[in-house]
Amino acid sequence: MLLFFCSFYVASKPVELTNVADELFISQQLAILQVTSGDVSFEEALSRYRQGDFVPNHGGKVSFGFTRDVIWTSVLINNASNLPIKKFFYLDSAWLDSANFYFVRQNKLVANVFTGDTIPFSSRRSQTRMISEAYEFKPGLTQVLIRFESKDPLLIPLYLTTEKMIQRNLEINNYFYGFLYGAFLMLLVYNIVLSVSLKDSRYIYYSLYLLSFLSLNVAYTGHGFKLFWPEALFVQRWAMIFFLYCYILFGIAFCFEFLKLKTYLPRVYRLNHLIYASLILLMLGVFIYGDQLLAVNIGVALTSSLVVIFISLGLLALKNGHVMVKFFIPAVFLGAGGAAFSAATTWGAIPYNTFLFHGIEIGMLIEMSILALALAFNLKEVDKARITAEVIAQYDHLTGLYNRRAFTVNATPLWELGVREQTPFSMILLDIDWFKTINDQYGHAVGDLALKTIANTLKQHTRKSDVLARWGGEEFILFLPNTSKLAAMQFANDIREKIAAIAVFHEGGVLSVTASFGVAEYHCHMKKLEELIKLADKALYQAKNSGRNIVCDISAPDTLTSQPQDMAQQDAV
């Protein structure tokens, strides 16, 4: 018996339960046998332990990467008290295919428990998202052999703990994932609403990118197996791989649309359909082939290459003038940094740490938040550009006055107010005399200068309450609220005199211009603004036919202003 116990001590030092208050990370106390080809039975594993084939894990290694190997571990647990002590083995990993526990006392197998993702979740004795198994250790020495196998990264951070500590850890995890999923869901809903309302492909692909990562996280953290498909072993086997490939596919699609490669890198953009088709065929191929480990390795390799691809495309787009890349590159870099820490922890390149192990989630949350801010900034810029375009669309580019459409929009409320309150209001239409002759004789540049000069004169002498616009060509229109016909005609005559006094300087000398005016007043029988405009247009027609450079009212065709001193000279102009 002494030799038997000494053989235990050759490989590892026992863990004394009476010294374990709440929780102990026992990976350093493990002795490990890595079976690189085939598998060994429990009896063979126990025999090889006694032969000294197990290697002490003094470095506390917890990650064995992507491997087809089977890992056997052994730990000695001693209970120096006189009473049984109940403890839990707790694995801070949710993607193990098999975790089989064998409890040995006095060279005999006294209990064994099989758990992992190869059995339905509902069949687990402990219904925790992470793998945990309880055992009541009797006084004395107990050897625990554990067999681990997984087609996903083989990660075995093992704790010896209590039920209270497990619940506390799960509660902390629930807060963390509650915040994480809440943040992702808010971003998702926000961008789905934007994608539906704006019909912008960037928001659509960003929503799919968010959704695929969220689904991937639900799959590899064990939430999916516990909550959504507890009996579906096939789904548990392939869900993480499927969502990983969706994450890659929609990540590339979002990158192409966010960076506007169609505009900034058209040659690269033309490859998008080929890339999407290749990824879909690759996904179908790995699922048909059915090698889970190969599928995971390909997916992880593609995910790693995405960072290089994204940053390279971002730099090229930035070089070609895409300013939104200033958000994209740091977002991808931070997301990749978090993923790098998680990958390094998973592969065992850096010592295991829970915070570093969850780096991908923290990094992705930061990345998604920055990208969401970028999209919000872009939305603000688009909205600003839209407002600017709408404002520009209201103005005539030559004179800076309202155009016909803007005049109708701004004059209609004043029309309705005047009709409702029965206040007088009038309309003036004016037309530059002999404008075609000006263009033909002096050129369009001089004609444009005359238009701008007259527009400035009108702006200087109209009230803020009046609505002034270029009606088209050489015509201008004025809506005068709270203005009777008599006052409108006097105002029109004043403007006519000021226009006649204008001197338009050009390379060929000085040009004088005149304008004809038509005035109309609102009558109660009018139903629409257009009726008042038509009446003013008739008055203008009468003014043009009555010798020009005069103001006419349709109800009083006689001129109300003095005739020009030299009509022949005006006609020549």
PDB file of all heavy atoms in Angstrom, residues 83-95:
ATOM      1  N   LEU A  83     -14.593  13.845   8.295  1.00  0.00           N
ATOM      2  CA  LEU A  83     -15.920  13.925   7.694  1.00  0.00           C
ATOM      3  C   LEU A  83     -15.810  14.088   6.183  1.00  0.00           C
ATOM      4  O   LEU A  83     -14.831  14.655   5.683  1.00  0.00           O
ATOM      5  CB  LEU A  83     -16.693  15.116   8.268  1.00  0.00           C
ATOM      6  CG  LEU A  83     -16.961  15.087   9.779  1.00  0.00           C
ATOM      7  CD1 LEU A  83     -17.585  16.411  10.211  1.00  0.00           C
ATOM      8  CD2 LEU A  83     -17.882  13.917  10.139  1.00  0.00           C
ATOM      9  N   PRO A  84     -16.803  13.608   5.456  1.00  0.00           N
ATOM     10  CA  PRO A  84     -16.793  13.809   3.997  1.00  0.00           C
ATOM     11  C   PRO A  84     -16.891  15.307   3.662  1.00  0.00           C
ATOM     12  O   PRO A  84     -17.531  16.066   4.372  1.00  0.00           O
ATOM     13  CB  PRO A  84     -18.031  13.058   3.515  1.00  0.00           C
ATOM     14  CG  PRO A  84     -18.366  12.113   4.618  1.00  0.00           C
ATOM     15  CD  PRO A  84     -17.951  12.777   5.891  1.00  0.00           C
ATOM     16  N   ILE A  85     -16.230  15.694   2.570  1.00  0.00           N
ATOM     17  CA  ILE A  85     -16.258  17.086   2.105  1.00  0.00           C
ATOM     18  C   ILE A  85     -16.708  17.084   0.647  1.00  0.00           C
ATOM     19  O   ILE A  85     -16.117  16.416  -0.198  1.00  0.00           O
ATOM     20  CB  ILE A  85     -14.871  17.747   2.231  1.00  0.00           C
ATOM     21  CG1 ILE A  85     -14.416  17.789   3.689  1.00  0.00           C
ATOM     22  CG2 ILE A  85     -14.908  19.161   1.639  1.00  0.00           C
ATOM     23  CD1 ILE A  85     -13.019  18.366   3.878  1.00  0.00           C
ATOM     24  N   LYS A  86     -17.784  17.856   0.379  1.00  0.00           N
ATOM     25  CA  LYS A  86     -18.311  17.929  -0.982  1.00  0.00           C
ATOM     26  C   LYS A  86     -17.673  19.106  -1.720  1.00  0.00           C
ATOM     27  O   LYS A  86     -17.667  20.232  -1.236  1.00  0.00           O
ATOM     28  CB  LYS A  86     -19.833  18.112  -0.969  1.00  0.00           C
ATOM     29  CG  LYS A  86     -20.471  18.109  -2.345  1.00  0.00           C
ATOM     30  CD  LYS A  86     -21.992  18.265  -2.259  1.00  0.00           C
ATOM     31  CE  LYS A  86     -22.642  18.245  -3.628  1.00  0.00           C
ATOM     32  NZ  LYS A  86     -24.110  18.390  -3.565  1.00  0.00           N
ATOM     33  N   LYS A  87     -17.136  18.811  -2.878  1.00  0.00           N
ATOM     34  CA  LYS A  87     -16.542  19.831  -3.728  1.00  0.00           C
ATOM     35  C   LYS A  87     -17.010  19.633  -5.174  1.00  0.00           C
ATOM     36  O   LYS A  87     -17.507  18.571  -5.540  1.00  0.00           O
ATOM     37  CB  LYS A  87     -15.011  19.773  -3.670  1.00  0.00           C
ATOM     38  CG  LYS A  87     -14.413  20.235  -2.353  1.00  0.00           C
ATOM     39  CD  LYS A  87     -14.545  21.745  -2.180  1.00  0.00           C
ATOM     40  CE  LYS A  87     -13.855  22.206  -0.897  1.00  0.00           C
ATOM     41  NZ  LYS A  87     -13.989  23.674  -0.705  1.00  0.00           N
ATOM     42  N   PHE A  88     -16.802  20.680  -5.977  1.00  0.00           N
ATOM     43  CA  PHE A  88     -17.162  20.642  -7.388  1.00  0.00           C
ATOM     44  C   PHE A  88     -15.913  20.809  -8.241  1.00  0.00           C
ATOM     45  O   PHE A  88     -15.058  21.654  -7.940  1.00  0.00           O
ATOM     46  CB  PHE A  88     -18.144  21.766  -7.725  1.00  0.00           C
ATOM     47  CG  PHE A  88     -19.548  21.522  -7.290  1.00  0.00           C
ATOM     48  CD1 PHE A  88     -19.911  21.692  -5.954  1.00  0.00           C
ATOM     49  CD2 PHE A  88     -20.525  21.120  -8.189  1.00  0.00           C
ATOM     50  CE1 PHE A  88     -21.206  21.475  -5.541  1.00  0.00           C
ATOM     51  CE2 PHE A  88     -21.830  20.900  -7.785  1.00  0.00           C
ATOM     52  CZ  PHE A  88     -22.179  21.075  -6.456  1.00  0.00           C
ATOM     53  N   PHE A  89     -15.828  20.000  -9.291  1.00  0.00           N
ATOM     54  CA  PHE A  89     -14.871  20.277 -10.355  1.00  0.00           C
ATOM     55  C   PHE A  89     -15.580  21.191 -11.357  1.00  0.00           C
ATOM     56  O   PHE A  89     -16.651  20.850 -11.861  1.00  0.00           O
ATOM     57  CB  PHE A  89     -14.424  18.983 -11.047  1.00  0.00           C
ATOM     58  CG  PHE A  89     -13.505  18.148 -10.208  1.00  0.00           C
ATOM     59  CD1 PHE A  89     -13.990  17.068  -9.494  1.00  0.00           C
ATOM     60  CD2 PHE A  89     -12.153  18.446 -10.135  1.00  0.00           C
ATOM     61  CE1 PHE A  89     -13.148  16.305  -8.723  1.00  0.00           C
ATOM     62  CE2 PHE A  89     -11.297  17.675  -9.357  1.00  0.00           C
ATOM     63  CZ  PHE A  89     -11.792  16.603  -8.648  1.00  0.00           C
ATOM     64  N   TYR A  90     -14.959  22.335 -11.629  1.00  0.00           N
ATOM     65  CA  TYR A  90     -15.593  23.334 -12.487  1.00  0.00           C
ATOM     66  C   TYR A  90     -14.635  23.702 -13.607  1.00  0.00           C
ATOM     67  O   TYR A  90     -13.468  24.054 -13.364  1.00  0.00           O
ATOM     68  CB  TYR A  90     -15.940  24.584 -11.671  1.00  0.00           C
ATOM     69  CG  TYR A  90     -16.527  25.723 -12.465  1.00  0.00           C
ATOM     70  CD1 TYR A  90     -17.855  25.691 -12.883  1.00  0.00           C
ATOM     71  CD2 TYR A  90     -15.747  26.843 -12.798  1.00  0.00           C
ATOM     72  CE1 TYR A  90     -18.397  26.748 -13.610  1.00  0.00           C
ATOM     73  CE2 TYR A  90     -16.294  27.897 -13.526  1.00  0.00           C
ATOM     74  CZ  TYR A  90     -17.615  27.840 -13.928  1.00  0.00           C
ATOM     75  OH  TYR A  90     -18.154  28.876 -14.641  1.00  0.00           O
ATOM     76  N   LEU A  91     -15.107  23.602 -14.850  1.00  0.00           N
ATOM     77  CA  LEU A  91     -14.299  23.936 -16.024  1.00  0.00           C
ATOM     78  C   LEU A  91     -14.786  25.257 -16.610  1.00  0.00           C
ATOM     79  O   LEU A  91     -15.957  25.389 -16.967  1.00  0.00           O
ATOM     80  CB  LEU A  91     -14.390  22.833 -17.079  1.00  0.00           C
ATOM     81  CG  LEU A  91     -13.505  21.613 -16.833  1.00  0.00           C
ATOM     82  CD1 LEU A  91     -14.037  20.411 -17.570  1.00  0.00           C
ATOM     83  CD2 LEU A  91     -12.083  21.902 -17.271  1.00  0.00           C
ATOM     84  N   ASP A  92     -13.883  26.224 -16.694  1.00  0.00           N
ATOM     85  CA  ASP A  92     -14.248  27.530 -17.241  1.00  0.00           C
ATOM     86  C   ASP A  92     -14.184  27.494 -18.771  1.00  0.00           C
ATOM     87  O   ASP A  92     -13.516  28.301 -19.415  1.00  0.00           O
ATOM     88  CB  ASP A  92     -13.309  28.596 -16.692  1.00  0.00           C
ATOM     89  CG  ASP A  92     -13.809  30.006 -16.989  1.00  0.00           C
ATOM     90  OD1 ASP A  92     -15.010  30.151 -17.246  1.00  0.00           O
ATOM     91  OD2 ASP A  92     -12.992  30.942 -16.959  1.00  0.00           O
ATOM     92  N   SER A  93     -14.890  26.510 -19.333  1.00  0.00           N
ATOM     93  CA  SER A  93     -14.938  26.339 -20.784  1.00  0.00           C
ATOM     94  C   SER A  93     -16.255  25.667 -21.126  1.00  0.00           C
ATOM     95  O   SER A  93     -16.696  24.766 -20.412  1.00  0.00           O
ATOM     96  CB  SER A  93     -13.757  25.501 -21.277  1.00  0.00           C
ATOM     97  OG  SER A  93     -13.858  25.244 -22.651  1.00  0.00           O
ATOM     98  N   ALA A  94     -16.864  26.107 -22.239  1.00  0.00           N
ATOM     99  CA  ALA A  94     -18.199  25.604 -22.578  1.00  0.00           C
ATOM    100  C   ALA A  94     -18.219  24.786 -23.854  1.00  0.00           C
ATOM    101  O   ALA A  94     -19.276  24.484 -24.370  1.00  0.00           O
ATOM    102  CB  ALA A  94     -19.171  26.775 -22.717  1.00  0.00           C
ATOM    103  N   TRP A  95     -17.055  24.408 -24.393  1.00  0.00           N
ATOM    104  CA  TRP A  95     -17.081  23.743 -25.698  1.00  0.00           C
ATOM    105  C   TRP A  95     -16.329  22.416 -25.703  1.00  0.00           C
ATOM    106  O   TRP A  95     -15.732  22.020 -26.700  1.00  0.00           O
ATOM    107  CB  TRP A  95     -16.538  24.668 -26.783  1.00  0.00           C
ATOM    108  CG  TRP A  95     -15.156  25.215 -26.532  1.00  0.00           C
ATOM    109  CD1 TRP A  95     -14.064  24.561 -26.083  1.00  0.00           C
ATOM    110  CD2 TRP A  95     -14.747  26.572 -26.744  1.00  0.00           C
ATOM    111  NE1 TRP A  95     -12.989  25.388 -26.000  1.00  0.00           N
ATOM    112  CE2 TRP A  95     -13.371  26.641 -26.400  1.00  0.00           C
ATOM    113  CE3 TRP A  95     -15.379  27.716 -27.193  1.00  0.00           C
ATOM    114  CZ2 TRP A  95     -12.639  27.826 -26.489  1.00  0.00           C
ATOM    115  CZ3 TRP A  95     -14.634  28.881 -27.284  1.00  0.00           C
ATOM    116  CH2 TRP A  95     -13.290  28.939 -26.929  1.00  0.00           C
TER     117      TRP A  95
END
